[in-house]
Amino acid sequence: MLRLWLILFVAIGIVAGVVSGYFKARKIQPKGFKWKILRNEAIIAVVTLTVSGTMIGAATKWLWAHGVISSIATPAAWWQIGLEYVLYFFLFDTYFYWLHRWMHKEPVYSWVHKLHHKSTSPNVLTTLSVNPLESVINGGFVPLFLSVFTIHDATMALILPTNIIMGVYVHSGYEFMPRWWNKSWATKWFITATFHDQHHRYFTGNFGGYTTIWDRLCGTMRPKFESDFDKVKQRSAAKAVVIDPVPVSDTVS
């Protein structure tokens, strides 16, 4: 019942967002969506999930069975879980940045990564529309990390949702982060949908998976990213003003 209610809650939220114009106002590339691309990505996603899921699942199972991977089942303090999660978060970001940057070099780009860039205006299916080999390389970080570090079960429970949520969000094609996101020292280090959307649109720069740290350090962040982010937020704010109903008091003369 809990799963059913959660599914219904999400479904109702999506429908409400479409009807109210909430999503339309936050579309990064308003004219970028193409049904043909979505259809092709759906087919690729099924193939990739089947192949890479089987390979990573089999490898992970073998590593568990032979004691290479293990976990700590005992309760842990919040700070222990936090430290383990932060370790995973930033190690994966480093792993993803350098491999992603390498995948833009020939002949690796043409052989492996080019398929993912068929969509210049990404959508949620673009997350899974990758060469199965690329999916194995990216998804293989989790069993690799778990083979090196033994972490608590509670931390493990956070890793998979993080991968899914981040993957879907940055490829969504919609910007949900607030306008101040890139202006705050505390939050500007974490990527947004606009950040990754520009990577698909221009094919270069913005290689980070979770953060902008490596892109900033290595000079690969697109120079106009922050100003373009502001433009998207300005457009959504302007549309929100039009969508909002006129207060009753304003209609009374």
Side-chain angles (χ1 to χ4, degrees), residues 42-63:
I43 296 171
I44 296 168
V46 171
V47 175
T48 298
L49 274 178
T50 302
V51 175
S52 63
T54 300
M55 293 178 66
I56 295 174
T60 303
K61 185 177 180 180
W62 186 91
L63 291 171

Side-chain angles (χ1 to χ4, degrees), residues 5 18 34 47 79 96 110 133 184 191 235 243-244 249:
W5 278 109
V18 171
K34 292 180 175 63
V47 175
W79 61 266
F96 183 88
S110 295
L133 178 58
S184 169
I191 73 171
R235 188 174 69 244
I243 293 171
D244 285 344
S249 58

Side-chain angles (χ1 to χ4, degrees), residues 210-246:
Y210 286 169
T211 78
T212 65
I213 294 174
W214 284 109
D215 282 291
R216 291 179 186 275
L217 288 175
C218 299
T220 54
M221 189 174 84
R222 290 193 59 79
K224 294 184 178 180
F225 156 63
E226 292 179 336
S227 61
D228 287 347
F229 177 88
D230 286 340
K231 289 178 183 177
V232 173
K233 301 312 295 183
Q234 287 170 8
R235 188 174 69 244
S236 63
K239 288 184 178 180
V241 171
V242 174
I243 293 171
D244 285 344
V246 178

